[in-house]
Amino acid sequence: MAAYMDTQSALAAWRSALATEGDAVSSSKLAIFPGFCDVHVHFREPGFLLKETILTGSASAAAGGYTAVCTMPNLNPVPDSPANMEVQLSAIRRDASIAVYPYAAITVGEKGEQLVDLEALAPTAIAYSDDGRGVQSREMMKEAMLRAKKLGKLIAAHCEDNSLLRGGYIHDGEYARAHGHKGICSESEWGPIARDLELVRETGCSYHVCHISTKESVELIRKAKLEGLDVTCETGPHYLVMDDSMLQEEGRFKMNPPLRSAEDREALVAGLLDGTIDMIATDHAPHTAEEKGKGLAGSAFGVVGLETAFAVMYTHFVKPGLITIDKLMDLMVFAPRKRFGIPLESGDYTLWDLDAEYTVDPETFASKGRATPFAGAKLFGRCAATFKNGKPVYDAR
């Protein structure tokens, strides 16, 4: 309840500042919200421009109501040094239409063999992560945590034990067994979370868990919070409304971590409702049509999500009365900004037609990516416009 009351106060303060600046848009139909913030996106630049760019990624974010995002470091070159980080920063300064905050890697090349110079990267990194791979060495993660703590920086962990993957590519559940697919066990996620929480106890590091998907992950983080550890976590809309019984033999249903069981999904929803899960993050991960056109077994991991996230959450959680719109604002605006130290300007806002019902058509996306498990879904809530510092960065009115 405390977080909810904080959100109410934050919303009131933001609305007051917006009105004072004269930026408020009066409309009998459109709802106005603060600009959303996603702390887990892949804009693929530098290195993978066929998948996405800073230009198209920020356009996609703006079309989804976002005015701030944090970009993951699995790039080429990996932002593992100030010089490599500058390659991405240059593209951001040139092409970003919203605020883009890059992560730095934890290890050089995200290879898990040598820690980066965390101190040298601290001025430009929003946090540190080896997203997409995970730090396999306990000793290396502990040292990274100790150094990050001294710098006042977050460690954002992609928790995945490579020794337990065994070639899997969807959840190790009923669908995998029924259709002859190789499964990814839940322990490959919750095992590293348990390890890292032990390290947080030892180091006092500020720790954030990326894209949780299992019931065990929820329970571990719930207990860690009750213990008073400095831990937060995120999950994506697809994990909250879909499970492996809904899989189809298409690449648009393949992501990492995978869609888990109905029991896992229910645990995630419970974690969202009781505050264990702090924020919504899309893990927006575009690929080319060719890379996503090879079925569950052969397609690349990753789906896009920036342009559907709010509508999915509004349709499945706010409209049925599971959460309030203020709670959704906490999940998509205030909690991520507070945890990652990302400011919200009064001129950062987004307008929505909440009564608009439509069918998701990926061909209309601003992102280069088209692979979404929500293709063909009927949703409520269409973004009409998004403003950054009072200037329109997306306008469909």
Side-chain angles (χ1 to χ4, degrees):
M1 180 61 72
Y4 176 70
M5 293 304 295
D6 287 346
T7 300
Q8 286 185 315
S9 300
L11 274 169
W14 173 81
R15 286 169 179 149
S16 176
L18 181 66
T20 300
E21 285 197 3
D23 286 334
V25 178
S26 60
S27 171
S28 59
K29 185 178 182 182
L30 298 179
I32 181 169
F33 301 119
F36 308 150
C37 177
D38 191 338
V39 300
H40 192 140
V41 304
H42 300 265
F43 281 179
R44 307 300 193 194
E45 185 175 6
F48 308 98
L49 306 188
L50 290 178
K51 301 173 188 279
E52 193 79 289
T53 64
I54 297 295
L55 182 67
T56 61
S58 59
S60 177
Y66 292 88
T67 59
V69 297
C70 301
T71 50
M72 285 299 179
N74 43 347
L75 300 165
N76 185 19
V78 172
D80 55 9
S81 68
N84 286 349
M85 176 68 86
E86 179 57 30
V87 180
Q88 185 182 181
L89 290 171
S90 177
I92 290 170
R93 289 191 293 266
R94 183 185 68 237
D95 291 333
S97 57
I98 62 166
V100 177
Y101 299 89
Y103 281 87
I106 296 174
T107 66
V108 176
E110 287 198 316
K111 295 179 179 179
E113 298 171 355
Q114 176 186 350
L115 287 180
V116 302
D117 186 341
L118 277 77
E119 293 75 14
L121 284 158
T124 54
I126 191 66
Y128 303 97
S129 181
D130 265 13
D131 186 65
R133 302 190 182 185
V135 177
Q136 303 300 303
S137 164
R138 185 184 193 279
E139 293 73 22
M140 192 165 295
M141 181 60 98
K142 181 177 181 179
E143 180 62 22
M145 286 185 175
L146 288 168
R147 290 167 61 181
K149 178 176 172 55
K150 289 182 180 179
L151 294 166
K153 291 283 190 177
L154 274 169
I155 292 289
H158 173 110
C159 290
E160 186 172 45
D161 184 340
N162 291 349
S163 71
L164 297 177
L165 297 181
R166 305 185 184 102
Y169 46 86
I170 64 171
H171 176 57
D172 186 18
E174 293 183 10
Y175 188 95
R177 289 187 286 272
H179 295 82
H181 290 297
K182 295 181 179 179
I184 300 175
C185 69
S186 295
E187 188 179 356
S188 65
E189 174 180 300
W190 65 256
I193 294 176
R195 179 204 72 178
D196 285 356
L197 290 174
E198 291 180 0
L199 294 177
V200 173
R201 292 185 187 97
E202 294 178 24
T203 65
C205 173
S206 297
Y207 177 70
H208 178 77
V209 191
C210 297
H211 47 47
I212 67 168
S213 68
T214 75
K215 61 182 184 295
E216 294 90 352
S217 301
V218 175
E219 186 59 23
L220 282 166
I221 294 165
R222 181 181 287 121
K223 289 180 179 178
K225 287 187 169 190
L226 290 173
E227 186 182 332
L229 297 184
D230 186 3
V231 57
T232 53
C233 69
E234 68 190 49
T235 196
H238 43 287
Y239 300 118
L240 292 165
V241 303
M242 305 186 83
D243 58 58
D244 68 341
S245 70
M246 304 173 188
L247 286 172
Q248 298 178 30
E249 294 294 312
E250 300 177 23
R252 65 190 180 93
F253 289 90
K254 184 177 181 181
M255 70 286 292
N256 188 25
L259 296 175
R260 301 286 186 180
S261 69
E263 188 178 3
D264 290 306
R265 185 192 65 78
E266 291 165 4
L268 290 168
V269 171
L272 187 83
L273 298 182
D274 71 15
T276 300
I277 294 173
D278 299 274
M279 62 196 75
I280 297 298
T282 64
D283 193 6
H284 176 85
H287 294 285
T288 66
E290 180 182 3
E291 290 169 321
K292 293 300 290 183
K294 301 176 182 178
L296 288 175
S299 293
F301 286 106
V303 295
V304 295
L306 285 167
E307 295 172 62
T308 55
F310 175 85
V312 169
M313 295 302 299
Y314 180 76
T315 300
H316 289 275
F317 285 89
V318 177
K319 280 187 71 66
L322 292 175
I323 64 173
T324 65
I325 194 67
D326 281 8
K327 172 64 174 178
L328 186 55
M329 290 302 100
D330 187 47
L331 293 165
M332 295 187 68
V333 178
F334 298 110
R337 290 178 184 273
K338 180 178 180 181
R339 181 57 162 167
F340 283 75
I342 297 171
L344 172 64
E345 306 297 336
S346 57
D348 291 4
Y349 57 93
T350 180
L351 306 176
W352 286 77
D353 182 349
L354 297 180
D355 295 325
E357 184 181 15
Y358 61 98
T359 300
V360 175
D361 178 6
E363 294 306 312
T364 67
F365 288 171
S367 172
K368 287 188 177 185
R370 298 288 186 265
T372 169
F374 297 112
K378 292 188 180 298
L379 298 177
F380 283 91
R382 187 186 293 277
C383 186
T386 301
F387 294 78
K388 175 64 184 164
N389 296 323
K391 298 178 180 180
V393 288
Y394 173 78
D395 198 339
R397 293 173 295 175

